[in-house]
Amino acid sequence: MNDTDSCIFVCNKLLRGELSAIETYSQALEKFDREPENATLEQIRLEHEENAELLREHLSQMGAVPDTDSGAWGSFAKAVEGTAKLLGESAALAALIEGEQHGIREYEEALDDPGVMEEAKTSIRETLLPCLSDHVTTLELLRAR
């Protein structure tokens, strides 16, 4: 696999994670019908949409077709969030935090991957990874209320 193929593979994997996050936050929004939780979760969902678009742009620039669904991880994440919704808001927030932390690990692995092109790594370092870290902080504050 050449570097472009490797980078495409990793960027599509990250894109599937962002698509999973969008689906999971959409599901979580059904649980939270009051402010400020609802507005905060909607904002995080929108940020995941922006992250997905950035990854799509990288993939298109490499001549790749971006993935369109979240795949197996999305199905698992939705099942976890669905179970957490049944257990209450605190469990749902804990599941969202775990999902964000999983995403952080995925981005950190991409930064360590020599096949990922520097342009993608710059986006990860400057935009994507800080975004997910902010989400964890925000969700932890919501959970502490």
Side-chain angles (χ1 to χ4, degrees):
M1 185 179 323
N2 67 38
D3 281 353
T4 301
D5 290 342
S6 179
C7 192
I8 289 169
F9 177 81
V10 171
C11 285
N12 260 324
K13 178 180 177 185
L14 296 172
L15 175 57
R16 288 189 302 274
E18 291 294 344
L19 295 173
S20 173
I22 294 164
E23 294 167 1
T24 303
Y25 277 93
S26 294
Q27 186 178 11
L29 280 161
E30 296 170 11
K31 175 72 178 166
F32 295 89
D33 57 359
R34 63 173 205 258
E35 298 296 333
E37 290 88 352
N38 191 279
T40 300
L41 296 179
E42 178 64 24
Q43 180 60 39
I44 292 173
R45 189 183 67 76
L46 290 172
E47 289 172 5
H48 280 292
E49 287 179 3
E50 292 168 3
N51 292 349
E53 185 57 33
L54 179 60
L55 289 164
R56 283 187 197 100
E57 289 171 16
H58 281 297
L59 287 158
S60 294
Q61 290 168 358
M62 289 183 281
V65 176
D67 285 351
T68 57
D69 66 62
S70 59
W73 175 248
S75 298
F76 174 75
K78 285 187 285 188
V80 169
E81 182 59 28
T83 301
K85 280 175 42 180
L86 294 174
L87 299 175
E89 291 181 2
S90 181
L93 289 171
L96 292 172
I97 291 167
E98 179 58 35
E100 296 288 347
Q101 291 169 333
H102 175 80
I104 288 170
R105 290 188 297 273
E106 294 282 317
Y107 282 121
E108 289 171 343
E109 287 175 15
L111 288 175
D112 291 337
D113 188 328
V116 175
M117 296 176 177
E118 194 54 42
E119 184 177 344
K121 286 184 178 184
T122 298
S123 292
I124 292 169
R125 273 193 293 277
E126 294 178 2
T127 304
L128 301 167
L129 197 50
C131 183
L132 271 61
S133 295
D134 289 347
H135 294 167
V136 170
T137 301
T138 300
L139 292 167
E140 287 175 343
L141 289 171
L142 279 179
R143 190 169 62 169
R145 289 184 181 177

